[in-house]
């Protein structure tokens, strides 16, 4: 489709394969519904027990209603309310922290957080600087209360709107509604100034993870797993290096899925789940459009299933 090579893609990004959702009228919710159904089955939870569902996505099925509502309907969550969150590639950690607050207040007992994106719907396959990166995926986690100090322990979340110029979609929103002109100018696709985003991603993701680790007296020995947003293997490696964490403690799935935006972190947790133990110290870290970024300290709550 574009002038590129496997060698360039592999060495610059670490990506070998992507998954693309195909078929007519298949939106992000299709993957979200599958993820939620799988999660309910695995955790032996009845759909009617779920109180709330938050879906973080930049590719909702429609501008409204929320994809969270569509997923809940098709997964049978008849007692759940929910909404979408958009914090670009940091969306999943923002939504995770939001969901955990609702649990901590004691108001709700079972909350599902879904990170899902059909990036192929907003990728320009004539733009070699973005079309080689993104893939489609969804992942979901279940949040429940406990008295054992497990789950989401702490977080640092940040945003800086001056990053807008480097990573955005030009049209389709209220500033530039869809028109012939915007379609002809290919403005309904991801626009990214890759090398600028790269620099911000490396320094901000590492800074915030380091700050959170220090706050909890954690170091390379006591952190069991680093789960970075999967945008580029070089960003993942740089973040791990800054924290002094060995490669074998870093969850890496970018080779198989590419950058799936809101799905990268739950997807990584899902792929590595059989290796996680109750009580493991896990640092999640993300950086994305906005700019948005942050780090979350999680103590894993389950033994392998
Ligand atoms: O997930 C949300 C946050 N996003 C990120 O964190 C992404 C951060 N950015 C990146 O991962 C990288 O910047 C990219 C993978 C997007 C690009 O890699 P890069 O090493 O920063 O390349 P670049 O944009 O600086 O471009 C270097 C060269 C340019 O050619 P010249 O001007 O040096 O002749 C590009 O035209 O590589 C060229 N190039 C390509 N060549 C072959 C760009 N894309 C391609 C390509 N194949 N697909």
């Amino acid at each position: 489709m574009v002038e590129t090579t496997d060698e360039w893609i592999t060495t610059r990004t670490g990506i070998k394969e992507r998954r693309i959702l195909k078929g007519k009228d298949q939106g992000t919710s299709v993957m979200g519904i599958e993820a939620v159904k799988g999660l309910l089955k695995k955790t032996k939870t009845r759909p009617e027990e779920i109180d709330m569902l938050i879906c973080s996505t930049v590719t909702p099925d429609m501008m409204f209603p929320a994809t969270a509502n569509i997923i809940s309907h098709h997964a049978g969550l008849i007692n759940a309310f929910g909404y979408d969150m958009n914090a670009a590639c940091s969306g999943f950690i923002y939504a995770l922290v939001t969901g955990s607050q609702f649990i901590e207040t004691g108001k709700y007992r079972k909350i599902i957080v879904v990170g899902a994106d059909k990036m192929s719907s907003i990728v320009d396959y004539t733009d070699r600087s973005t079309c080689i990166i993104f893939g489609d995926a969804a992942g979901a986690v279940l949040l429940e209360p406990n008295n054992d100090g497990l789950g989401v322990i702490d977080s640092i979340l940040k945003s800086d709107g001056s990053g807008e110029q480097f990573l955005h979609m030009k049209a389709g929103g209220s500033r530039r509604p869809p028109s012939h002109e915007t379609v002809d100018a290919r403005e309904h696709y991801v626009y990214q100034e890759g090398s600028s985003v790269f620099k911000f991603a490396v320094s901000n993701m590492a800074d915030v993870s380091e700050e959170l680790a220090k706050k909890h007296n954690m170091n390379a020995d006591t952190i069991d797993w680093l789960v970075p947003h999967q945008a580029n293997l070089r960003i993942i490696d740089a973040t791990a290096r800054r924290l002094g964490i060995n490669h074998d403690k870093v969850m890496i799935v970018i080779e198989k899925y590419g950058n799936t935006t809101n799905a990268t972190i739950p997807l990584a947790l899902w792929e590595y789940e059989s290796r996680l133990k109750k009580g493991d110290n896990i640092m999640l870290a993300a950086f994305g459009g906005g700019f948005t970024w942050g780090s979350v300290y999680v103590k894993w709550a389950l033994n392998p299933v």
Side-chain angles (χ1 to χ4, degrees):
M1 293 175 190
V2 289
E3 204 183 316
T4 189
T5 60
D6 182 58
E7 203 255 334
W8 194 96
I9 298 170
T10 309
T11 54
R12 294 290 184 117
T13 69
I15 298 166
K16 275 282 181 197
E17 298 176 19
R18 269 89 48 77
R19 267 71 195 155
I20 304 296
L21 176 64
K22 290 192 173 157
K24 198 171 177 295
D25 295 337
Q26 304 283 292
T28 293
S29 67
V30 170
M31 298 177 292
I33 293 162
E34 284 301 310
V36 169
K37 283 185 176 169
L39 179 68
L40 292 172
K41 193 169 170 207
K42 184 165 67 176
T43 58
K44 299 186 175 59
T45 308
R46 284 177 288 115
E48 57 271 26
E49 289 179 70
I50 303 300
D51 300 310
M52 178 185 192
L53 183 143
I54 307 175
C55 177
S56 62
T57 184
V58 296
T59 52
D61 280 29
M62 292 175 265
M63 288 288 272
F64 68 88
T67 300
N69 304 146
I70 299 168
I71 294 172
S72 294
H73 172 62
H74 289 281
L77 312 189
I78 51 172
N79 294 315
F81 78 105
Y83 50 79
D84 290 355
M85 280 184 70
N86 181 345
C89 292
S90 309
F92 179 77
I93 62 167
Y94 273 48
L96 183 68
V97 171
T98 305
S100 74
Q101 305 292 307
F102 279 100
I103 295 284
E104 283 172 34
T105 62
K107 178 134 180 143
Y108 300 110
R109 300 191 60 80
K110 288 188 193 291
I111 297 176
I112 291 180
V113 177
V114 179
D117 270 306
K118 183 185 171 184
M119 293 305 292
S120 61
S121 66
I122 57 166
V123 163
D124 181 352
Y125 285 98
T126 65
D127 174 7
R128 70 176 183 173
S129 68
T130 52
C131 77
I132 50 105
I133 300 170
F134 293 103
D136 302 340
V141 297
L142 176 65
L143 303 177
E144 295 172 292
N146 73 88
N147 295 315
D148 305 320
L150 301 168
V152 177
I153 306 297
D154 199 5
S155 61
I156 301 175
L157 301 178
K158 307 246 184 191
S159 58
D160 175 1
S162 69
E164 175 195 334
Q165 58 183 304
F166 302 111
L167 182 49
H168 56 251
M169 191 198 290
K170 294 187 189 305
S174 55
R175 196 191 293 173
R176 280 179 72 71
S179 66
H180 278 294
E181 189 195 335
T182 61
V183 171
D184 289 346
R186 309 187 77 80
E187 291 182 354
H188 294 271
Y189 296 120
V190 176
Y191 170 84
Q192 175 170 257
E193 290 179 23
S195 53
S196 304
V197 178
F198 187 96
K199 284 178 210 133
F200 283 108
V202 168
S203 59
N204 286 328
M205 222 157 86
D207 281 354
V208 87
S209 304
E210 206 170 33
E211 189 184 338
L212 190 60
K214 272 201 183 124
K215 188 176 163 197
H216 291 272
N217 295 319
M218 306 242 287
N219 55 39
D221 295 329
T222 52
I223 296 172
D224 296 299
W225 292 99
L226 174 67
V227 192
H229 169 53
Q230 315 273 310
N232 187 314
L233 189 57
R234 289 182 292 143
I235 300 177
I236 295 171
D237 287 343
T239 309
R241 258 198 313 277
R242 264 281 292 282
L243 293 167
I245 294 178
N246 279 342
H247 217 245
D248 58 355
K249 288 179 161 192
V250 185
M251 293 191 191
I252 300 173
V253 295
I254 190 168
E255 183 178 322
K256 187 169 166 192
Y257 299 102
N259 181 349
T260 57
T261 304
N262 280 278
T264 61
I265 290 178
L267 202 54
L269 291 169
W270 180 70
E271 282 275 356
Y272 280 75
E273 190 176 0
S274 61
R275 294 161 67 179
L276 300 179
K277 298 181 307 298
K278 189 173 179 175
D280 274 357
N281 291 315
I282 304 179
M283 299 291 289
L284 314 179
F287 183 88
F291 291 134
T292 55
W293 68 101
S295 184
V296 183
Y297 168 27
V298 172
K299 258 191 184 295
W300 195 248
L302 295 173
N303 279 315
V305 280

